[in-house]
């Protein structure tokens, strides 16, 4: 019976496994017993180390990629390493300063900020940086304007609290006079500035159901416009930067693997599903190899962290790279970046 089948390994085996993984993550080469004997600091013979390595291999924690005596960690071994053998430390001061300096001092729009974060994650880790874009309806409305167009159409100009401007063209069943449009815009700006679109729709529905409600009296024929203006059907999106960085890693050099990976970046559907799953479980998440559940990412590790404002989760950021990554550095980078992004969004919300 393998003593490590339940991953309850003794202190000596843990030390050897930690040493092997650290060495492998550093140089990417299989690690032999003699190297482990020198690097681990344990007073044991190479033969004893070989026996322990054989047990670790039988447990599925390490593997021999060639006929050589060297071994590399498996995804299962990397998971054990990250969960119980890795000592995470706060990001060094110079790294934190680099992160802070990489964010724009003055926010323009949330999407611009998120694009900057995606580029920054890629630059800091040399992997692919990934950031989900929240639906615009997640941000409070600041102002609304209407512009009459030909053929019973109206241009709706929505200005949100994150400075994003969204234009929508609404097709109505009948034309509306400019005076009615102005009256409608004034009413909505007075009563609903600071509300999210879904909340505005709910309030409008409640007011329209109320007999003799103020909105019912004022809007009459423009009810159609008011309700159509606050639809929340904008599509989910994810921003990806630095995909070509992954071409430089031998672990991902297989042309078919790269094609599948770049197709996933292009289509975004699987990435969105993975990142949305992360948003539902706030904090830092790590997927190693097949743990993501998406075949295109089988040879990769994905590190994510959630961001938000005023206690409300808006999305997730992350990096995608080979399973041989410096987890002790990448995880704090992603975690710290998510915190800085949330701080920036909170500051922006406080000034609106």
């Amino acid at each position: 019976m393998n003593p490590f089948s339940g991953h309850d390994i003794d202190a000596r085996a843990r030390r050897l496994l930690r040493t092997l993984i650290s060495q492998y993550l550093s140089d990417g080469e299989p690690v032999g017993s003699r190297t482990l004997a020198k690097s681990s600091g344990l007073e044991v013979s190479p033969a004893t180390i070989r026996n322990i390595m054989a047990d670790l291999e039988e447990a599925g924690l390490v593997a021999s990629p060639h006929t050589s005596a060297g071994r590399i960690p498996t995804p299962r071994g990397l998971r054990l390493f990250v969960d119980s053998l890795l000592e995470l430390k706060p990001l060094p001061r110079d790294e934190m300063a680099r992160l802070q300096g990489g964010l724009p001092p003055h926010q323009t729009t949330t999407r611009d900020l998120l694009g900057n974060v995606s580029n920054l994650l890629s630059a800091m880790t040399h992997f692919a940086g990934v950031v989900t874009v929240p639906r615009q309806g997640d941000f409070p409305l600041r102002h609304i304007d209407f512009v009459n167009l030909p053929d019973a159409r109206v241009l709706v100009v929505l200005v949100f609290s994150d400075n994003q401007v969204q234009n929508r063209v609404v097709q109505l069943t009948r034309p509306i006079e400019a005076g009615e449009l102005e009256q409608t815009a004034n009413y909505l700006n007075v009563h609903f500035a600071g509300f999210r679109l879904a909340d505005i729709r709910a309030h409008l529905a409640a007011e329209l159901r109320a007999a003799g409600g103020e909105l019912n009296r004022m809007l009459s024929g423009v009810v159609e416009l008011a309700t159509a203006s606050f639809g929340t059907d904008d599509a989910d999106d994810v921003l990806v930067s630095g995909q070509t960085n992954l071409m430089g890693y031998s672990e991902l050099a297989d042309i078919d693997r790269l094609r599948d990976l770049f197709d996933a970046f292009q289509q975004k559907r699987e990435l969105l599903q993975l990142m949305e799953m992360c948003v539902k479980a706030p904090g830092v998440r790590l997927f190693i190899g097949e743990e993501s559940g998406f075949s295109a990412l089988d040879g990769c590790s994905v590190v994510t962290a959630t961001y938000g404002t005023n206690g409300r989760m808006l999305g997730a950021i992350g990096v995608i790279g080979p399973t041989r990554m410096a987890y002790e550095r990448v995880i704090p980078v992603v975690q710290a970046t998510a915190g800085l992004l949330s701080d920036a969004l909170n500051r922006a919300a406080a000034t609106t």
Side-chain angles (χ1 to χ4, degrees):
M1 180 177 176
N2 192 308
F4 305 146
S5 58
H7 297 176
D8 186 19
I9 61 179
D10 62 28
R12 187 170 60 178
R14 292 168 70 89
R15 185 166 179 175
L16 286 175
L17 182 60
R18 182 191 292 114
T19 302
L20 181 147
I21 293 177
S22 297
Q23 185 83 21
Y24 172 74
L25 294 180
S26 175
D27 58 29
E29 297 295 328
V31 184
S33 299
R34 292 187 180 276
T35 301
L36 282 174
K38 294 177 182 178
S39 303
S40 66
L42 292 174
E43 298 296 329
V44 294
S45 67
T48 300
I49 290 179
R50 282 195 295 271
N51 289 335
I52 296 174
M53 286 296 106
D55 289 336
L56 291 174
E57 185 167 1
E58 187 179 342
L61 300 176
V62 300
S64 301
H66 312 293
T67 55
S68 69
R71 291 179 172 85
I72 64 173
T74 64
R76 186 184 300 177
L78 288 172
R79 169 54 66 185
L80 178 64
F81 172 74
V82 172
D83 287 349
S84 60
L85 304 179
L86 182 63
E87 298 177 5
L88 290 177
K89 299 178 182 179
L91 207 61
R93 186 174 300 178
D94 60 332
E95 295 259 295
M96 182 62 81
R98 184 182 170 193
L99 274 180
Q100 292 171 324
L103 293 176
H106 303 293
Q107 180 185 349
T108 53
T109 68
T110 295
R111 191 179 183 92
D112 289 340
L113 177 61
L114 297 180
N116 192 279
V117 167
S118 177
N119 290 328
L120 185 59
L121 284 171
S122 177
M124 291 287 290
T125 63
H126 305 293
F127 300 140
V130 184
V131 180
T132 60
V133 180
R135 291 173 179 267
Q136 198 58 55
D138 286 334
F139 294 94
L141 180 71
R142 179 185 294 170
H143 189 79
I144 185 169
D145 276 318
F146 298 119
V147 179
N148 241 332
L149 298 175
D151 304 320
R153 293 177 302 146
V154 174
L155 172 64
V156 183
V157 182
L158 301 169
V159 183
F160 294 89
S161 62
D162 66 334
N163 299 319
Q164 190 76 37
V165 178
Q166 191 175 95
N167 297 325
R168 303 178 176 186
V169 176
V170 174
Q171 179 68 60
L172 302 176
T173 55
R174 71 165 184 85
I176 296 180
E177 296 295 329
E180 287 183 280
L181 288 180
E182 183 178 0
Q183 185 183 31
T184 304
N186 290 339
Y187 178 86
L188 295 173
N189 285 321
V190 168
H191 289 83
F192 295 110
F195 286 76
R196 292 178 176 83
L197 298 190
D199 297 329
I200 297 175
R201 286 178 64 87
H203 279 284
L204 285 172
E207 286 230 24
L208 291 171
R209 285 195 301 267
E214 181 185 3
L215 184 61
N216 215 345
R217 291 195 307 271
M218 285 184 61
L219 298 185
S220 58
V222 294
V223 168
E224 182 183 13
L225 171 61
T227 53
S229 298
F230 299 111
T232 55
D233 56 353
D234 48 327
D236 293 312
D237 196 10
V238 59
L239 306 178
V240 184
S241 300
Q243 302 97 308
T244 54
N245 288 340
L246 303 182
M247 298 174 68
Y249 294 93
S250 59
E251 301 91 325
L252 302 175
D254 179 79
I255 190 65
D256 291 330
R257 181 186 297 279
L258 274 177
R259 184 183 298 112
D260 290 344
L261 186 56
F262 276 70
D263 281 346
F265 289 143
Q266 180 98 17
Q267 301 297 328
K268 297 185 178 181
R269 180 176 54 84
E270 291 183 346
L271 276 183
L272 273 169
Q273 291 179 27
L274 180 62
M275 299 297 276
E276 286 172 354
M277 180 171 63
C278 296
V279 175
K280 296 175 182 177
V284 176
R285 299 285 301 276
L286 169 63
F287 303 90
I288 300 174
E290 297 179 354
E291 292 177 352
S292 70
F294 298 106
S295 59
L297 299 175
D298 282 356
C300 301
S301 283
V302 184
V303 183
T304 71
T306 49
Y307 71 89
T309 178
N310 298 322
R312 181 188 180 98
M313 291 298 105
L314 293 177
I317 70 169
V319 297
I320 298 174
T323 55
R324 186 177 71 86
M325 67 167 60
Y327 295 99
E328 76 282 356
R329 178 178 180 272
V330 174
I331 293 173
V333 164
V334 173
Q335 188 173 29
T337 305
L340 291 173
L341 174 55
S342 294
D343 290 343
L345 292 172
N346 281 322
R347 287 195 301 271
T351 59
T352 58

